[in-house]
Amino acid sequence: MDSIFSFLRFIFRYHNKAVDQVLFYVSLVCAITMVLHVGYITDAALADITKEIVVFMYYGLFLFEAIRTVSSILVTRKINVSHYSGVVITAYFLVVTLSRHSGGLISTFAKDEWLYMGIAIMFLSELSRSSLFFDNFYFNPTILFVVSFLGLIILGAVLLMLPRTTTEAPLSFIDAFFMATSAVCITGLSVTDISTNFSLFGQAVVMALIQVGGLGIMTFTGFFGYFFSGGFSFKNQLMFGEILGENKLNSVISTLITIILITFLFEFIGGLLIFFSLDPKLFDSLGERVFFAAFHAISGFCNSGFTIIKEGVNNQDYRFNYNFQLAVSSMFIIGSLGFGTIFNFYTLIKTRIDALICKYILQRNYKHKPQVFSFNSRFIVLCNLVVIVLGTVSYFLLEKSHSLIDDKTIYGDWVTSLFMANSARSAGFNSVDLNFINIPTLIMIVTLMWIGVSPGSTGGGVKVTTVAIALMNIVALARGKESIEIFKRKIASESVNKSFAIILLSILTIMLSFVLLNFSDPNQQMVPLLFETISAYTTCGLSLGITASLSATSKIILMLTMFVGRVGMLTLLVAFIKNTKNKSYIYPTEKILF
């Protein structure tokens, strides 16, 4: 026994990285085998064989992880942060294993899906734990951000091309890439009905792509890398600091964790609201209802617009389910505020509670912190309130005698108006068929799509703050003022310049994409093509129903448009255009005639 313990101590003290590398490649083989079994093999006899192989691999991973975790704890004689993930994963494996051989209260975990999830979690932990990607080389963070989206789209397309992803014919190469791009770029444009043509596996792939694409694959990789490895290297903190826009290195980890936890918290709350708003008679099982709620909570918070409802929210079973619409709309409105603003609300509430506790319970003075609710958060909330109110009221007035006739109550009218107006900003859900709304409303929806949501959020568009700064600059010029002032603050000229650059680049990109679509699909009408172009660039996902009928060339154009809209044209220019060195001299200033 002593010799075994000495051997394990030698291995985990001096060859720990080698053990991690071996487990990484073993888990990779297991994950590939699982994906082939779930998504590719359609022959029943062969599927039974691969299922036995996957189950055997699962128990093998369980054994390896348990031995590594226990041995590492025994060698160090204490539980470190790096051991937490191993303990959690081992506990998960143990629960699933016991449920498959016993039953009782934990029999729910005996299904194969929990086994597959265990293999996926194990692979993710080993992938995140490995230092293969970040410590051996260093990319420009902006380029890494762009490349990560491309890599995720390629992976998603490969998974969506698997035969068992669809219930009918497998997707073509172009269609698979289109769906993957739309999911990763949280757009929602679709060439097929995922509610009927996608299997549970295919819908789960789309949901995963929406979740990772909505937050950014680098955010997910960083979070799980920190969790599974127990820390960050200094180089990692520098890189993620630039990606997250965090200037303080000591705040990088907390910012990363905050973004993930905020997302999961609101998606969990939204999932509960959606779950209890549903009619149980519409689902064959409790699991189906839970998956439905989880899918729409993630799709809503990430402003993706994908739905697994046949015919969309316009379906008669959901068209007048106003509680469901309010639950989903609360998700995409909260998601549209941005992580920074949501976290700022948390700090504001926490500060207020601390102050009340100090005053009434502890009976002592509370030291108030200045600017708890930041200038940017106040400005973002104001802009969003203006757009939400104006959009909802405008839709109500424009459609009261048209599409809102079907809503029999004034409550229904306002819920539908709130849902449609704010979904148009980026979410892409529609409870009303867009082909039956009048032209002024269609113009308003296009405008809302282009304006978009808040910076730092999961939504798209040029962003409400960009449009607000541009309009305020026009007002300032008309009043003869040289600067923009709001909340007793002067807006930096750099922000004004950037806002007009973003607006101009968006118009140029939309125009170019629209012209190319007219060349590649000359038989399509111009209005649907323009609507499709703006929807793709703003990652909204609303459509007038022509997406599936577009040519392969048009789909490629829309894919590029979605990608540019999600990453940002200005971001791409910054990433690939070399910075100009600052000069030590300044030329004389001249005024241009307009």
Side-chain angles (χ1 to χ4, degrees):
M1 190 70 182
D2 291 338
S3 60
I4 294 175
F5 182 75
S6 299
F7 173 74
L8 291 175
R9 183 170 57 185
F10 173 76
I11 291 293
F12 286 99
R13 178 167 294 178
Y14 300 106
H15 298 283
N16 193 35
K17 287 188 176 181
V19 174
D20 290 344
Q21 286 295 320
V22 170
L23 266 178
F24 168 72
Y25 290 114
V26 170
S27 63
L28 175 62
V29 172
C30 294
I32 292 173
T33 306
M34 179 195 70
V35 170
L36 289 175
H37 167 68
V38 174
Y40 184 78
I41 297 172
T42 55
D43 181 75
L46 186 58
D48 290 336
I49 296 173
T50 54
K51 180 181 177 180
E52 294 298 323
I53 294 173
V54 170
V55 172
F56 175 77
M57 288 180 166
Y58 170 82
Y59 289 123
L61 283 177
F62 177 26
L63 183 63
F64 279 135
E65 180 62 22
I67 292 174
R68 179 176 68 172
T69 302
V70 174
S71 300
S72 181
I73 292 173
L74 290 176
V75 167
T76 57
R77 297 183 179 180
K78 61 180 180 179
I79 299 179
N80 299 321
V81 177
S82 58
H83 294 140
Y84 293 165
S85 61
V87 172
V88 172
I89 293 172
T90 303
Y92 177 88
F93 274 102
L94 182 61
V95 170
V96 174
T97 301
L98 290 175
S99 67
R100 293 178 70 86
H101 293 280
S102 60
L105 294 175
I106 58 174
S107 59
T108 305
F109 296 96
K111 294 182 178 180
D112 291 336
E113 286 78 6
W114 296 106
L115 184 143
Y116 302 147
M117 184 180 292
I119 295 176
I121 291 173
M122 186 67 187
F123 171 66
L124 178 62
S125 70
E126 296 307 316
L127 178 65
S128 303
R129 189 192 300 270
S130 175
S131 60
L132 180 65
F133 296 99
F134 301 135
D135 289 339
N136 297 333
F137 52 83
Y138 182 79
F139 277 130
N140 178 327
T142 309
I143 295 177
L144 189 59
F145 174 76
V146 173
V147 171
S148 68
F149 269 97
L150 286 173
L152 185 60
I153 289 170
I154 293 171
L155 175 62
V158 171
L159 292 175
L160 291 178
M161 288 175 66
L162 295 173
R164 291 180 66 178
T165 296
T166 55
T167 56
E168 300 174 2
L171 295 178
S172 65
F173 177 79
I174 295 295
D175 286 347
F177 261 87
F178 187 95
M179 292 298 293
T181 305
S182 183
V184 172
C185 296
I186 50 174
T187 304
L189 289 175
S190 181
V191 294
T192 185
D193 186 356
I194 68 171
S195 65
T196 55
N197 192 33
F198 272 30
S199 63
L200 179 63
F201 171 74
Q203 292 173 355
V205 169
V206 171
M207 183 172 68
L209 292 176
I210 291 169
Q211 182 72 92
V212 181
L215 294 182
I217 188 171
M218 295 307 301
T219 304
F220 261 95
T221 306
F223 173 77
F224 287 111
Y226 173 76
F227 177 73
F228 290 123
S229 63
F232 268 169
S233 67
F234 183 71
K235 185 186 291 185
N236 291 158
Q237 292 187 57
L238 283 173
M239 183 183 65
F240 281 105
E242 292 188 53
I243 290 173
L244 297 172
E246 183 59 62
N247 297 323
K248 300 177 181 178
L249 283 184
N250 59 350
S251 300
V252 170
I253 295 173
S254 61
T255 302
L256 199 61
I257 294 174
T258 299
I259 290 174
I260 297 293
L261 293 182
I262 284 175
T263 301
F264 288 165
L265 173 63
F266 278 105
E267 287 177 349
F268 176 73
I269 295 172
L272 289 177
L273 293 175
I274 293 172
F275 179 84
F276 289 111
S277 70
L278 300 172
D279 183 0
K281 297 178 182 178
L282 299 175
F283 303 93
D284 297 329
S285 65
L286 178 64
E288 184 181 342
R289 187 178 170 191
V290 169
F291 180 80
F292 181 95
F295 187 98
H296 288 89
I298 292 172
S299 182
F301 186 83
C302 292
N303 280 253
S304 76
F306 277 102
T307 177
I308 51 176
I309 304 172
K310 187 178 180 181
E311 300 174 1
V313 186
N314 193 33
N315 185 298
Q316 290 302 307
D317 292 325
Y318 299 90
R319 169 66 179 86
F320 304 105
N321 186 343
Y322 300 121
N323 291 333
F324 170 74
Q325 292 183 31
L326 285 175
V328 175
S329 60
S330 66
M331 281 294 92
F332 58 69
I333 289 175
I334 292 172
S336 69
L337 288 176
F339 302 109
T341 305
I342 295 172
F343 182 69
N344 218 171
F345 270 112
Y346 162 76
T347 54
L348 177 65
I349 295 170
K350 183 176 179 294
T351 303
R352 294 284 190 268
I353 293 173
D354 290 343
L356 290 174
I357 291 174
C358 284
K359 183 177 180 181
Y360 294 106
I361 298 177
L362 301 179
Q363 299 293 319
R364 67 185 185 192
N365 293 327
Y366 178 77
K367 295 181 179 180
H368 292 274
K369 298 177 182 178
Q371 284 289 329
V372 175
F373 203 63
S374 68
F375 167 79
N376 268 303
S377 295
R378 284 188 290 166
F379 188 55
I380 287 171
V381 170
L382 175 63
C383 293
N384 276 279
L385 282 175
V386 170
V387 176
I388 288 171
V389 172
L390 287 181
T392 303
V393 173
S394 298
Y395 187 93
F396 177 80
L397 295 176
L398 291 170
E399 288 297 309
K400 185 169 178 57
S401 302
H402 295 84
S403 61
L404 293 179
I405 293 178
D406 295 334
D407 297 277
K408 305 302 182 183
T409 62
I410 190 68
Y411 172 73
D413 289 346
W414 282 108
V415 171
T416 302
S417 299
L418 175 72
F419 186 87
M420 287 296 296
N422 290 282
S423 178
R425 295 173 59 202
S426 187
F429 297 100
N430 59 295
S431 58
V432 176
D433 192 337
L434 296 180
N435 291 293
F436 293 102
I437 62 175
N438 56 24
I439 296 300
T441 311
L442 198 65
I443 295 172
M444 185 199 72
I445 287 176
V446 168
T447 305
L448 289 172
M449 285 196 298
W450 180 75
I451 291 173
V453 291
S454 308
S457 68
T458 55
V462 297
K463 304 296 186 287
V464 287
T465 51
T466 303
V467 177
I469 291 297
L471 292 175
M472 289 169 65
N473 187 54
I474 294 172
V475 173
L477 289 173
R479 297 173 63 183
K481 299 180 67 174
E482 294 184 356
S483 61
I484 303 173
E485 297 172 352
I486 185 172
F487 297 139
K488 296 182 179 180
R489 293 291 188 274
K490 176 184 174 182
I491 304 297
S493 57
E494 178 187 354
S495 299
V496 179
N497 294 337
K498 187 175 287 188
S499 68
F500 279 100
I502 292 171
I503 288 173
L504 182 58
L505 286 171
S506 71
I507 294 172
L508 292 176
T509 306
I510 290 170
M511 286 177 59
L512 176 62
S513 179
F514 175 58
V515 170
L516 293 175
L517 283 179
N518 275 279
F519 277 112
S520 59
D521 262 301
N523 296 326
Q524 296 283 358
Q525 295 182 356
M526 293 182 66
V527 171
L529 284 179
L530 179 60
F531 192 92
E532 202 85 2
T533 305
I534 297 173
S535 181
Y537 180 80
T538 58
T539 68
C540 176
L542 290 175
S543 174
L544 293 178
I546 66 169
T547 312
S549 62
L550 294 174
S551 64
T553 306
S554 295
K555 291 175 183 176
I556 294 172
I557 294 169
L558 285 180
M559 278 190 273
L560 293 173
T561 307
M562 285 188 285
F563 183 77
V564 171
R566 177 68 178 101
V567 175
M569 192 63 182
L570 197 58
T571 303
L572 291 172
L573 293 177
V574 170
F576 296 105
I577 295 180
K578 189 175 181 180
N579 291 333
T580 305
K581 292 182 179 180
N582 290 327
K583 298 176 181 178
S584 57
Y585 54 88
I586 300 175
Y587 289 116
T589 302
E590 292 288 351
K591 287 189 176 182
I592 301 297
L593 297 177
F594 294 101

